[in-house]
Amino acid sequence: MIDTACSLSISYKNERALVFGELEISYALSNRRTIIDTARELRVTYVVDVATTAGTLRIPMQSFQTNLRSDALSTLVVFVPGGTAYKGKVLAGQMMFVYRAVKFTDGTEIETEISRAKITDVTPSLSPNKSTMTISGTYEYAKPASPKSISLSNIKYVAFYGDEVTIRSNTNSDLQPGDIVNYDGTDYVAMNIYMGVEISTSELEVRCAPR
């Protein structure tokens, strides 16, 4: 399986594809749920769509970071290569959506929303060797009406802060803020979910409070 973050090809100096190994990075943040059979995945691509007055603009993505919360504004930051090409097209006040697009061996393609935000800042930058654009935004997610019980796999790190606990693990496609996470026989509520994805690396960290 090959993961790449750029589904739209553009030309820019020192171009690099965002390629991942065997990663499962899929957040079902909308009301719909998508079941993904990772054994049948052929290619996974991370894309960002921006809703403009002229329609949906799909642009390439070098990396992204998202911090998902149910008790405060969630944040999303996207880094775009060749970003000056989109100057004047991507504007504050527009909505952006990050998707995980999966192509299966039978030709089936599925896109699952990871995060969304209303754009607050657009920062193009230009150097002698490259141009980039940083797009930042926030969004207020509602608490789930029916929290799910989630089991995290391959736990890599656990830290306790009083009654709260921080857990790093493999990513989980169903986990949302407000869901129930069980660790060592105790149920916790997921308050803050951080995910960062860039070339060849990913990170997931969940801050939980007692149920």
Side-chain angles (χ1 to χ4, degrees):
M1 179 189 71
I2 298 177
D3 281 26
T4 131
C6 298
S7 65
L8 176 63
S9 297
I10 64 169
S11 297
Y12 58 97
K13 196 167 182 179
N14 297 331
E15 181 176 3
R16 292 191 301 171
L18 186 55
V19 179
F20 299 87
E22 294 289 332
L23 302 180
E24 169 60 25
I25 303 175
S26 174
Y27 270 58
L29 293 181
S30 61
N31 290 328
R32 64 184 186 276
R33 292 180 58 187
T34 302
I35 305 302
I36 296 179
D37 181 0
T38 56
R40 294 172 51 241
E41 290 179 2
L42 176 63
R43 184 183 65 188
V44 178
T45 303
Y46 295 90
V47 297
V48 57
D49 285 351
V50 179
T52 73
T53 55
T56 300
L57 177 65
R58 174 156 290 186
I59 58 180
M61 180 169 54
Q62 180 176 329
S63 61
F64 69 90
Q65 300 173 357
T66 186
N67 198 336
L68 310 173
R69 305 174 63 98
S70 59
D71 60 346
L73 287 176
S74 297
T75 60
L76 173 62
V77 182
V78 171
F79 302 93
V80 176
T84 54
Y86 304 98
K87 186 177 180 181
K89 298 179 181 179
V90 178
L91 304 171
Q94 296 171 338
M95 288 293 297
M96 63 175 169
F97 307 83
V98 171
Y99 294 95
R100 180 180 190 266
V102 180
K103 184 175 182 179
F104 294 95
T105 54
D106 62 3
T108 303
E109 297 186 22
I110 295 176
E111 291 188 359
T112 303
E113 183 181 316
I114 295 174
S115 183
R116 64 173 62 186
K118 185 176 183 179
I119 298 173
T120 55
D121 296 287
V122 180
T123 308
S125 61
L126 182 65
S127 70
N129 295 323
K130 64 179 180 179
S131 67
T132 60
M133 177 181 283
T134 303
I135 310 171
S136 305
T138 60
Y139 189 77
E140 185 173 359
Y141 284 97
K143 292 183 179 180
S146 302
K148 306 180 298 296
S149 294
I150 300 294
S151 297
L152 299 178
S153 62
N154 191 22
I155 293 176
K156 304 169 184 177
Y157 171 87
V158 178
F160 292 91
Y161 303 91
D163 291 336
E164 297 183 357
V165 60
T166 295
I167 303 173
R168 293 177 189 166
S169 74
N170 282 356
T171 53
N172 187 295
S173 60
D174 284 333
L175 183 62
Q176 299 179 41
D179 282 340
I180 307 303
V181 176
N182 184 278
Y183 175 74
D184 198 25
T186 301
D187 284 342
Y188 295 90
V189 178
M191 301 186 305
N192 187 10
I193 302 169
Y194 168 82
M195 182 171 61
V197 178
E198 55 185 85
I199 297 173
S200 301
T201 63
S202 69
E203 182 180 359
L204 172 67
E205 184 170 290
V206 186
R207 184 71 176 258
C208 304
R211 186 176 183 182

